[in-house]
Amino acid sequence: MALHLKDRTLLDAERPFAELLGRPGVSEVLQLRSCFGFMAFHGGWLEEVTDDIAMTAAERSGASVYACLQGPDDQWHLPSHCFDPADSPVLRQFLDHVDVVVAVHGFGSPRLLRAVLLGGRNRTLAAHVAVHLIGRLPHYEILHRLDDIPKSLAGQHPRNPCNLPRSGGVQIELPPRIRGKSPMWTGFRGPGRVPHHEALIEGLAAAARAWPRATAAASDDRAPEPATSAAD
């Protein structure tokens, strides 16, 4: 398995996402349902389990989903703002269909082993998702204030796909433990997913199901674009 963290071959290309889509083992998934969307464009063997979370939450809530999956032999971590819908008719179709989106990512930080980060520019949606996660994930700290989230994980770049739908969206960053990728789950044999993983999916699905009712009488409250260059 090769993880190309410092290899700039794709980053230096004129169209990095197009180059990625042309690599062996890379595929896209699109399922259009409601105008609430989930994404996992660092899915497959890159940020493991993020595609399962996005696709299962979408199925349980009747939401739409887009995923870009990388295979087991070769993984390239493109910054989120490189995922240009101009390079993918599939991604463009998804973004044109949804009103809001939750983009699912994985991260690892020794300081934030039990933190779930809710970035992105739709802060109303971030608070809404937090409400549905806090009670279901008592072992985690759900951080939904931008001041509490590292800038590199806050999802504020204007070209980040989580910010491209009509009403923007949320970038959720998940530590290994909640994705079942931690030594604490070494002896787990099921049935089903590890409990934290399952509770997360149900919380996200509940947030998606409740969103139309939560916004029926409210206007879109997307945060303004930062005046300076933003992180991924």
Side-chain angles (χ1 to χ4, degrees):
M1 185 173 79
L3 177 57
H4 303 280
L5 288 177
K6 297 183 179 180
D7 189 334
R8 295 190 57 87
T9 301
L10 295 189
L11 282 175
D12 290 339
E14 183 177 352
R15 297 164 60 198
F17 186 28
E19 290 286 332
L20 176 66
L21 290 175
R23 295 273 166 168
V26 178
S27 62
E28 294 177 286
V29 174
L30 175 65
Q31 297 172 355
L32 297 180
R33 301 186 185 97
S34 75
C35 291
F36 193 108
F38 287 96
M39 308 179 76
F41 49 83
H42 285 155
W45 287 73
L46 181 58
E47 293 176 358
E48 293 180 85
V49 190
T50 57
D51 50 290
D52 174 66
I53 293 166
M55 289 192 281
T56 306
E59 182 179 0
R60 292 185 186 180
S61 61
S64 299
V65 65
Y66 168 85
C68 181
L69 310 179
Q70 299 191 43
D73 300 323
D74 215 23
Q75 296 96 46
W76 299 82
H77 192 282
L78 287 181
S80 297
H81 67 266
C82 291
F83 285 77
D84 188 346
D87 293 329
S88 168
V90 180
L91 177 56
R92 179 75 274 165
Q93 185 179 3
F94 172 80
L95 292 172
D96 287 345
H97 178 79
V98 298
D99 291 329
V100 294
V101 71
V102 173
V104 183
H105 291 265
F107 81 106
S109 169
R111 296 187 305 105
L112 297 168
L113 291 176
R114 296 197 299 172
V116 172
L117 315 179
L118 296 173
R121 292 190 166 194
N122 190 323
R123 305 316 301 158
T124 300
L125 178 59
H128 172 81
V129 172
V131 166
H132 289 272
L133 295 184
I134 288 170
R136 291 177 170 88
L137 298 170
H139 302 294
Y140 295 86
E141 187 176 12
I142 312 300
L143 302 181
H144 61 94
R145 294 179 65 254
L146 287 179
D147 289 345
D148 297 331
I149 300 172
K151 290 183 179 180
S152 62
L153 298 171
Q156 294 299 294
H157 197 291
R159 294 199 303 275
N160 186 318
C162 79
N163 298 319
L164 295 182
R166 286 177 285 275
S167 295
V170 165
Q171 174 173 295
I172 182 168
E173 294 277 359
L174 304 168
R177 181 179 299 185
I178 203 169
R179 293 179 280 137
K181 310 303 292 185
S182 164
M184 73 174 290
W185 303 115
T186 299
F188 183 79
R189 295 291 181 269
R193 302 172 177 86
V194 301
H196 297 182
H197 183 176
E198 179 62 32
L200 168 69
I201 290 174
E202 187 48 43
L204 291 174
R209 291 191 297 265
W211 179 247
R213 296 192 298 275
T215 58
S219 61
D220 174 42
D221 190 30
R222 288 173 67 185
E225 296 186 0
T228 57
S229 59
D232 182 42

